[in-house]
């Protein structure tokens, strides 16, 4: 199974219709019955969602809105120093609320006029082919829950801070949004599971954890770095490698710790040429050749 499967807490629908999110014992919210009940309710919203209808609003507590406000404020300070100019333009264009968690429906309303992207609720892990495939149509699957308030700067899973601050600000950029769509088209085009995994790893090392040289320094555009309070301070010291498709598509990564191997684009044009060009035309055969060249 693809590594991302470990990333999300499993969600189980019970026979009586209730939904249970199985948090690991190490999860900061494991022993908090109030948090767990809300996680179950939020997962049930996503499971009950029908395309074409408004995304049901998730109930957040004041404490959770405060977590968003605190993380939002601290990340904005770090973004000014570490995010690419194109991402910062996206932040300005999108205008996310800084003082409360926006509902996904609101994120869609802000995003759609800019780049056509809309959010879809996800209870947990979405199968790779669905998650990537719908990017081609301008849809982004997103979790709705937020991390536990006891550790506002840490989450073991991708929460709404990651999905919205990390991804929606990038999706507000025409040029990054075009790359997301190309990744979706690639995921739809390839047939084999290995080729799909290759496409998704290239996504991981670019739109999730990508960095780029800009005016003589390394800046981040990947949503995983830009939504992580700790990781954003560390990426410049990681093992920075050239933007090579064969390496990105075959390098193993561990989602449970900071990404210690990163791939740098020399510019946004370079990223568009190498990665956008790859997603625009790749197929099972071209990916098989890249995989063979990496061995
Ligand atoms: Fe992500």
């Amino acid at each position: 199974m693809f590594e991302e499967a470990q990333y999300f807490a499993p969600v189980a629908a019970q026979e009586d219709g209730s939904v249970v999110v199985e948090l690991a014992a190490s999860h900061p919210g494991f022993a908090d019955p109030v948090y767990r009940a809300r996680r179950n309710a939020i997962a049930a919203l996503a499971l009950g969602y029908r395309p074409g209808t408004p995304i049901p609003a998730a109930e957040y507590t004041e404490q959770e809105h405060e977590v968003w406000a605190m993380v939002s404020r601290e990340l904005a300070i770090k973004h000014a120093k570490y995010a690419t100019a194109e991402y910062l333009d996206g932040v300005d264009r999108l205008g996310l609320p800084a003082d409360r968690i926006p509902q996904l429906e609101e994120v869609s309303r802000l995003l759609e006029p800019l780049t056509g992207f809309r959010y879809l609720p996800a209870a947990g892990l979405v199968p790779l082919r669905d998650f990537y495939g719908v990017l081609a149509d301008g849809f982004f699957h997103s979790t709705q829950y937020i991390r536990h308030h006891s550790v506002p700067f840490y989450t073991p899973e991708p929460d709404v801070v990651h999905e919205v601050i990390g991804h929606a600000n990038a999706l507000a950029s025409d040029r990054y949004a075009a790359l997301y769509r190309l990744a979706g088209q690639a995921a739809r085009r390839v047939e084999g599971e290995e080729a799909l995994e290759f496409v998704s790893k290239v996504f991981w090392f670019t739109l999730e954890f990508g960095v780029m040289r800009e005016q003589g320094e390394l800046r981040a555009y990947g949503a995983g770095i830009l939504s992580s309070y700790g990781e954003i301070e560390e990426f410049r010291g990681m093992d920075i490698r050239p933007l090579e498709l064969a390496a990105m598509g075959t390098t193993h990564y561990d989602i449970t710790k900071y990404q210690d191997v990163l791939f740098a684009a020399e510019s946004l044009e370079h990223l568009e040429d190498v990665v956008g060009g790859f997603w625009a035309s790749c197929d099972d055969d071209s990916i098989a050749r890249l995989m063979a060249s990496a061995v």
Side-chain angles (χ1 to χ4, degrees):
M1 191 62 197
F2 184 64
E3 289 88 334
E4 208 167 23
Q6 306 159 13
Y7 208 1
F8 292 85
V11 177
Q14 313 289 304
E15 279 180 11
D16 64 1
S18 62
V19 173
V20 175
V21 178
E22 293 163 6
L23 297 186
S26 57
H27 191 287
F30 178 76
D32 177 347
V34 175
Y35 180 78
R36 297 199 65 164
R38 209 163 41 260
R39 287 290 300 264
N40 294 346
I42 291 173
L45 289 182
L47 291 182
Y49 172 74
R50 295 293 167 261
T53 61
I55 302 171
E59 296 289 328
Y60 299 113
T61 63
E62 270 317 303
Q63 219 167 20
E64 287 175 326
H65 285 302
E66 283 166 20
V67 168
W68 173 278
M70 185 190 318
V71 176
S72 228
R73 186 175 59 235
E74 294 301 321
L75 284 177
I77 295 166
K78 293 180 188 284
H79 289 165
K81 186 172 172 190
Y82 293 117
T84 60
E86 185 72 13
Y87 175 88
L88 293 172
D89 278 353
V91 170
D92 287 342
R93 277 161 60 109
L94 192 60
L96 288 172
D99 58 338
R100 61 180 171 79
I101 308 168
Q103 295 293 334
L104 297 187
E105 190 65 27
E106 180 183 358
V107 176
S108 290
R109 272 205 308 277
L110 294 171
L111 202 48
E112 191 171 9
L114 300 177
T115 61
F117 263 89
R118 286 146 293 168
Y119 268 47
L120 292 175
L125 180 71
V126 175
L128 284 193
R129 212 170 276 278
D130 296 343
F131 177 84
Y132 291 107
V134 298
L135 293 173
D137 303 325
F139 288 106
F140 186 82
H141 277 110
S142 169
T143 55
Q144 279 176 285
Y145 57 81
I146 193 160
R147 58 198 61 188
H148 193 256
H149 58 80
S150 61
V151 281
F153 295 113
Y154 168 76
T155 174
E157 331 149 84
D159 68 347
V160 70
V161 170
H162 168 74
E163 310 280 29
V164 176
I165 294 181
H167 286 291
N169 285 320
L171 287 166
S173 144
D174 292 316
R175 295 175 74 176
Y176 291 142
L179 288 168
Y180 278 79
R181 284 181 194 267
L182 288 170
Q185 291 165 17
R188 287 240 170 105
R189 193 180 315 114
V190 299
E191 292 172 6
E193 292 309 305
E194 274 195 344
L196 180 62
E197 187 172 329
F198 190 101
V199 166
S200 75
K201 281 188 163 182
V202 173
F203 185 97
W204 178 267
F205 284 114
T206 56
L207 295 173
E208 287 288 357
F209 286 93
V211 295
M212 183 180 289
R213 295 191 203 284
E214 207 171 79
Q215 296 181 334
E217 60 185 16
L218 208 56
R219 295 223 167 202
Y221 64 92
I225 295 176
L226 292 172
S227 61
S228 168
Y229 182 80
E231 206 147 3
I232 200 168
E233 290 283 355
E234 303 290 336
F235 73 88
R236 286 179 175 164
M238 297 303 182
D239 176 0
I240 307 292
R241 300 185 185 177
L243 191 74
E244 288 172 2
L245 293 167
M248 288 191 285
T250 56
T251 295
H252 179 75
Y253 60 84
D254 179 353
I255 49 104
T256 62
K257 58 185 184 59
Y258 288 174
Q259 302 305 298
D260 52 3
V261 172
L262 300 173
F263 295 88
E266 296 305 316
S267 64
L268 182 47
E269 292 73 19
H270 182 222
L271 178 70
E272 289 167 332
D273 285 352
V274 173
V275 175
F278 164 69
W279 282 329
S281 62
C282 67
D283 59 21
D284 292 60
D285 291 341
S286 69
I287 289 171
R289 285 195 296 276
L290 281 168
M291 291 177 76
S293 76
V295 179

